[in-house]
Amino acid sequence: MTEDDFERIKEVVLEMKDTTELMIDLAYSSLIYNNQEIAEEVSHLNEVVSSLSLELRRMAVGRLSRKNTDLALILAELSYSLQRVADAAMEIADVVLRGLPLHPILRRSIQEGEVGIYRAKVSPKSKLAGKTLGEVELASETGIWVFAIRRGKKWIYGPDENTRIKEGDILFVRAPDESRKLFLKLCSGKKKL
């Protein structure tokens, strides 16, 4: 096993961990707000995790099993466990995807939180486009915290103040419910910073 192999294993495990954490957040949000688009994101991410899980198991069996059985077994078990987390998130989102009603008591108990998860695409008109998160100071000025960005097929997890927002990015944020409209207006370009 080469250093590159170990580096790739590390990358795959971290991406699976980050993706499954995002899936859980998005799955609950899709349920709370009965949001089909967010539920579809969970479904898409489930496919990503499945692909990464297969890659990790192949590396464990193909490259490790003869030389380091214990590490191969650990990676295979880790892959299986992370896939189960992704599947659980998918089951939550599936309630929305299948159009099943959520019991009112359950919906109210889930909605008790004061912070929601929202998504919006950055319009060419938006003043956010081209700026870093540090420049726009969303978290400190509005309480809107960007926790993930989808840029085409690529995901940026835990973006920091140096992460540049681009036109067409889909921002995933945690924000107080009263900041939702502001966030959508900022992304659409209907409101300036």
Side-chain angles (χ1 to χ4, degrees):
M1 167 129 333
T2 68
E3 186 65 34
D4 287 343
D5 290 334
F6 278 116
E7 190 59 34
R8 181 62 187 150
I9 288 170
K10 184 174 104 177
E11 288 172 5
V12 169
V13 168
L14 286 174
E15 187 170 354
M16 287 181 74
K17 178 194 80 68
D18 289 343
T19 304
T20 55
E21 287 174 356
L22 176 61
M23 286 178 72
I24 293 292
D25 283 345
L26 294 178
Y28 277 121
S29 292
S30 72
L31 192 61
I32 292 167
Y33 300 105
N34 194 29
N35 188 308
Q36 186 85 15
E37 285 182 326
I38 293 177
E40 288 169 2
E41 291 287 351
V42 175
S43 180
H44 168 73
L45 289 171
N46 193 42
E47 292 173 17
V48 171
V49 170
S50 293
S51 176
L52 291 168
S53 179
L54 180 60
E55 181 182 352
L56 188 59
R57 284 181 281 137
R58 282 183 175 152
M59 286 187 284
V61 171
R63 295 186 179 123
L64 288 175
S65 60
R66 288 182 219 112
K67 297 185 184 261
N68 191 335
T69 306
D70 290 340
L71 181 57
L73 289 172
I74 289 168
L75 288 176
E77 184 63 30
L78 181 61
S79 170
Y80 174 71
S81 297
L82 288 169
Q83 183 64 59
R84 286 179 47 206
V85 172
D87 291 343
M90 194 58 232
E91 286 179 24
I92 294 168
D94 196 45
V95 170
V96 176
L97 292 172
R98 293 190 302 150
L100 299 175
L102 187 61
H103 192 280
I105 292 174
L106 182 56
R107 180 176 306 283
R108 194 168 60 226
S109 70
I110 292 173
Q111 288 177 331
E112 289 292 317
E114 297 173 7
V115 175
I117 295 178
Y118 310 104
R119 78 186 273 286
K121 187 173 186 174
V122 178
S123 156
K125 299 175 191 173
S126 174
K127 296 296 180 183
L128 298 175
K131 293 195 167 52
T132 66
L133 289 173
E135 290 171 333
V136 296
E137 298 180 324
L138 281 176
S140 60
E141 296 293 321
T142 64
I144 298 170
W145 178 62
V146 179
F147 67 89
I149 299 172
R150 183 167 54 113
R151 187 170 287 157
K153 292 186 178 190
K154 182 183 174 197
W155 284 84
I156 301 168
Y157 305 104
D160 62 21
E161 69 274 359
N162 298 315
T163 303
R164 191 163 301 282
I165 301 168
K166 295 185 177 181
E167 172 188 324
D169 281 353
I170 298 176
L171 305 181
F172 291 83
V173 302
R174 282 188 182 91
D177 288 336
E178 62 271 10
S179 296
R180 179 180 177 271
K181 287 181 183 175
L182 172 63
F183 168 65
L184 296 174
K185 287 179 180 179
L186 286 170
C187 287
S188 70
K190 293 178 182 173
K191 176 117 177 128
K192 296 180 182 180
L193 297 169

